Amino acid sequence: RKEVEQDPGPFNVPEGATVAFNCTYSNSASQSFFWYRQDCRKEPKLLMSVYSSGNEDGRFTAQLNRASQYISLLIRDSKLSDSATYLCVVTPYNNNDMRFGAGTRLTVKP
Amino acid sequence: DAGVIQSPRHEVTEMGQEVTLRCKPISGHDYLFWYRQTMMRGLELLIYFNNNVPIDDSGMPEDRFSAKMPNASFSTLKIQPSEPRDSAVYFCASSTTGTGWTSGNTIYFGEGSWLTVV
């Protein structure tokens, strides 16, 4: 079993749609959680950190469920510019080895 | 501020040749990471340094791979001899406090070095 698993997609949604991605992780000692965004042929960039209480940044909402060991990302009112691959990232406690999921590909269409 | 700078951006080389990838981290960052990304395996951490000292190289695939950080502003990843299965995008990244739970911070990636070994 991979340490971080994501549905690879692709998710194809129309503009304005709401889309949700889930990610599961296997290491219960994991302490830091992030969502990164990677555009085609570009480097990954931080989208948002994920906090235990859940957090929101504009149209993006991240949730963490430690009991079930999963993280989610919700995108509301999708824009064409949201088209990218979304990487779930998990870091074990006191460790600098960020574990990346394989990514979920999103395409937002007009 | 300049981001993480990597060179070369693209390299095509023949099997058996030596490949050297270079990275300049963001000034003031004391952690430097080398990642490799392929379609099959996704993003994998190869090695990381803290204050120029290699901390964890367990991700380095084999002895053909080596990495150095002679000073705070420069690191190299060397593959010798290169093989076709080494074809991938190699990312260098840096951060100020690592990625542990206390940081809440993140790492900043360079644009990557696209390596093709034929």
Side-chain angles (χ1 to χ4, degrees), chain B residues 57 59-67 78-81 83 85:
Chain B
D57 65 355
M60 296 285 263
E62 50 197 273
D63 292 345
R64 297 184 297 106
F65 286 69
S66 63
K78 188 172 293 188
I79 308 172
Q80 166 64 16
E83 297 181 3
R85 60 195 169 116

Side-chain angles (χ1 to χ4, degrees), chain B residues 3 7 9 15 21 25 43 46 57-58 67 72 80-81 85-86 89-90 92 102 107 109 116:
Chain B
S7 65
R9 290 293 317 280
M15 183 173 62
L21 307 178
L43 262 170
L46 300 177
D57 65 355
S58 59
Q80 166 64 16
R85 60 195 169 116
D86 301 331
V89 184
Y90 290 83
C92 177
T102 57
I107 61 175
F109 286 83
T116 302

Side-chain angles (χ1 to χ4, degrees), chain B residues 12-26:
Chain B
V12 180
T13 190
E14 291 185 347
M15 183 173 62
Q17 296 299 305
E18 178 179 290
V19 173
T20 299
L21 307 178
R22 299 172 178 80
C23 175
K24 176 179 167 56
I26 294 172

Side-chain angles (χ1 to χ4, degrees), chain B residues 26 28-32 49-52 69 94-98:
Chain B
I26 294 172
H29 284 193
D30 54 357
Y31 283 83
L32 183 140
F49 297 81
N50 178 216
N51 292 320
N52 314 337
M69 191 166 186
S94 70
S95 74
T96 54
T97 59

Side-chain angles (χ1 to χ4, degrees), chain A residues 31-32 34 36 38 41-44 46 49 51 87 91 93-98 100, chain B residues 10 31 33 35 37 43 45 48 91 98-101 104-107 109-111 114:
Chain A
Q31 289 291 333
S32 295
F34 308 89
Y36 274 67
Q38 186 172 23
R41 300 184 69 81
K42 296 289 188 179
E43 73 275 21
L46 178 68
S49 300
Y51 301 120
L87 303 167
T91 303
Y93 175 82
N94 202 27
N95 184 304
N96 288 294
D97 187 356
M98 298 179 82
F100 285 77
Chain B
H10 300 272
Y31 283 83
F33 305 82
Y35 283 85
Q37 187 173 37
L43 262 170
L45 178 66
Y48 77 89
F91 288 105
T99 63
W101 72 281
N105 290 331
T106 184
I107 61 175
F109 286 83
E111 293 183 311
W114 297 70

